[in-house]
Amino acid sequence: CPSRTESEPAPPRESSAFAGLSYVCYNTPMEQRTIGVGVGVLILNSEGKVLLGKRHDDYKKADSELKGAGNWTMPGGKQDFGESFEDAAKRETKEETGLTLGKVEVIALNADQTDTAHYVTIGLLGRDFAGEPQVCEPEKITCWQWFDPTNLPSPMYEPSAKLLQNYLAGKFYIN
């Protein structure tokens, strides 16, 4: 990629779970570039562990404009037109895990990009939920597990890694 479109490394991460996060190369023509809005949901159980799902290793099954086949991810996805951040988080969580979220709060804002996609990701925190996580979309996620947020699996899906980084640093936005 030439000059302005050269790839630049992501900012350094403090945890090995954040190592090697994406490089951005803008090879999509300007007139075809759009920005989407998505939500990522950091769900913590009573022990303070975070819920992560293993994305399918087959990139065709782990379909995402932000890529991430084989990575660990939080529940989340695209916000629908007319939907609040909180409602999007509750819907995506229910669709993917079967969990019913109660109160959720917006805790982070991030810009996530690949060579083909650009999303503003709204990070939400949910501690109030009912049910047990289950694989509701086996074509995308192979399992759900609880992890200590300071001992995360690898590789992490970049939007989820960034949201966890925000949470652990106590920051709404990290550039």
Side-chain angles (χ1 to χ4, degrees):
C1 296
S3 62
R4 159 66 178 94
T5 62
E6 278 189 306
S7 299
E8 295 182 22
R13 309 295 189 203
E14 295 184 18
S15 164
S16 62
F18 304 118
L21 293 181
S22 83
Y23 291 71
V24 177
C25 175
Y26 299 91
N27 61 11
T28 304
M30 182 62 85
E31 64 275 5
Q32 294 177 9
R33 296 181 198 171
T34 61
I35 298 175
V37 178
V39 296
V41 189
L42 173 58
I43 301 174
L44 295 176
N45 67 12
S46 60
E47 299 171 0
K49 293 186 176 182
V50 61
L51 182 64
L52 298 174
K54 181 80 159 86
R55 295 175 65 87
H56 206 287
D57 287 328
D58 182 342
Y59 74 93
K60 291 179 184 176
K61 292 184 178 181
D63 183 36
S64 169
E65 292 177 72
L66 293 171
K67 310 192 190 249
N71 292 349
W72 289 89
T73 187
M74 288 181 250
K78 296 174 188 162
Q79 181 181 10
D80 289 342
F81 184 83
E83 190 174 45
S84 71
F85 301 140
E86 295 84 358
D87 287 345
K90 291 176 182 183
R91 176 185 51 77
E92 287 288 350
T93 299
K94 184 70 167 177
E95 289 174 1
E96 295 177 6
T97 70
L99 295 176
T100 301
L101 283 178
K103 183 179 188 282
V104 292
E105 64 178 303
V106 174
I107 62 164
L109 175 69
N110 288 304
D112 297 303
Q113 300 177 45
T114 67
D115 58 336
T116 58
H118 182 176
Y119 276 83
V120 173
T121 303
I122 310 302
L124 293 100
L125 174 63
R127 297 175 191 263
D128 175 25
F129 61 89
E132 290 296 322
Q134 53 190 311
V135 176
C136 297
E137 297 178 326
E139 68 281 5
K140 295 178 183 178
I141 300 290
T142 59
C143 67
W144 290 101
Q145 292 180 32
W146 296 100
F147 292 92
D148 182 316
T150 61
N151 188 21
L152 300 170
S154 185
M156 286 288 296
Y157 182 55
E158 185 170 356
S160 295
K162 288 167 76 174
L163 174 51
L164 281 163
Q165 183 184 18
N166 288 86
Y167 174 75
L168 293 172
K171 297 196 175 199
F172 185 75
Y173 176 76
I174 300 173
N175 187 6

